[in-house]
Amino acid sequence: SQQGQTMLADILIKIADVVVTLFIYLVLARVLLQLCKADRYNPIAQSVVRFTDPFLGPLRKVLPKSVRWDIAGVVVLLALGVLRALVNTGFMLASVGIGPLVLFAVVGLVMTVIDLYLLLILVMVVLSFVAPGSYHPGAVLVRQLTDPLLAPIQRMLPAMGGIDLSPLVAGTALYILRDIVLPNLLA
């Protein structure tokens, strides 16, 4: 009976983690779309806005406006990051205080941004082989989201005869940041 209750609690925690993480990705997509100045008429971008508006809309009326940053989105991301940190630790972090909880949440959100960019870079590389120059709304958004990261690297790398090594350089830097630098912040 005790083992069954523990297993049920673990399952509920995993389900809560998945739901919160999926919502984090949606809100993060909205924040990044605005930050990268992606095409707001793109049907995928419009879907992200439509899904997140019920949660961000009321906050937008209260919080100050910014041209570049989606402040309501950042606030919701921080709240969701804290919620995910609490869920992932079985609410044990609630007893350590707000400082470590916020640090844990921010590091978790940065890792989520890195994971998203690693995925976007991989998708961009695959698209460059499968459908180079595609005008599909998904491909356009992937390019718009990865260009701010890859363009400075492309300018620094020497010409390689049509081969773009910027995804490899960016991916390696992101892996080092995610797997070496950030875990040491929590140690």
Side-chain angles (χ1 to χ4, degrees):
S1 175
Q2 180 69 19
Q3 185 181 11
Q5 289 176 344
T6 303
M7 187 181 343
L8 179 61
D10 289 344
I11 290 170
L12 291 175
I13 286 173
K14 288 296 180 192
I15 290 171
D17 180 49
V18 167
V19 169
V20 170
T21 301
L22 286 175
F23 197 63
I24 285 173
Y25 275 112
L26 263 177
V27 175
L28 179 61
R30 180 162 178 166
V31 169
L32 290 175
L33 287 170
Q34 182 176 346
L35 190 63
C36 295
K37 298 178 184 171
D39 178 15
R40 72 175 92 163
Y41 297 109
N42 184 302
I44 296 171
Q46 288 179 347
S47 294
V48 168
V49 168
R50 205 170 304 120
F51 280 124
T52 56
D53 253 353
F55 304 96
L56 301 181
L59 277 176
R60 287 178 186 282
K61 295 175 184 170
V62 178
L63 295 174
K65 296 187 183 342
S66 169
V67 174
R68 185 141 175 106
W69 285 92
D70 184 358
I71 295 174
V74 171
V75 168
V76 169
L77 275 176
L78 287 172
L80 288 169
V82 167
L83 179 61
R84 183 171 62 177
L86 288 170
V87 167
N88 283 337
T89 61
F91 292 90
M92 289 189 293
L93 271 180
S95 63
V96 298
I98 193 72
L101 181 59
V102 169
L103 176 65
F104 194 81
V106 168
V107 169
L109 287 172
V110 171
M111 286 184 164
T112 302
V113 171
I114 291 170
D115 288 340
L116 178 63
Y117 266 93
L118 287 169
L119 178 65
L120 288 171
I121 289 169
L122 178 65
V123 168
M124 192 203 64
V125 168
V126 170
L127 283 173
S128 72
F129 286 107
V130 176
S134 173
Y135 293 106
H136 184 277
V140 170
L141 275 185
V142 168
R143 279 193 300 274
Q144 288 175 339
L145 288 170
T146 56
D147 273 351
L149 178 66
L150 298 179
I153 298 170
Q154 290 167 343
R155 286 190 294 272
M156 289 188 297
L157 291 176
M160 299 292 291
I163 298 173
D164 183 11
L165 295 178
S166 64
L168 179 65
V169 172
T172 302
L174 289 173
Y175 272 116
I176 290 170
L177 183 62
R178 186 190 72 185
D179 294 344
I180 297 172
V181 176
L182 288 176
N184 287 322
L185 289 177
L186 295 176

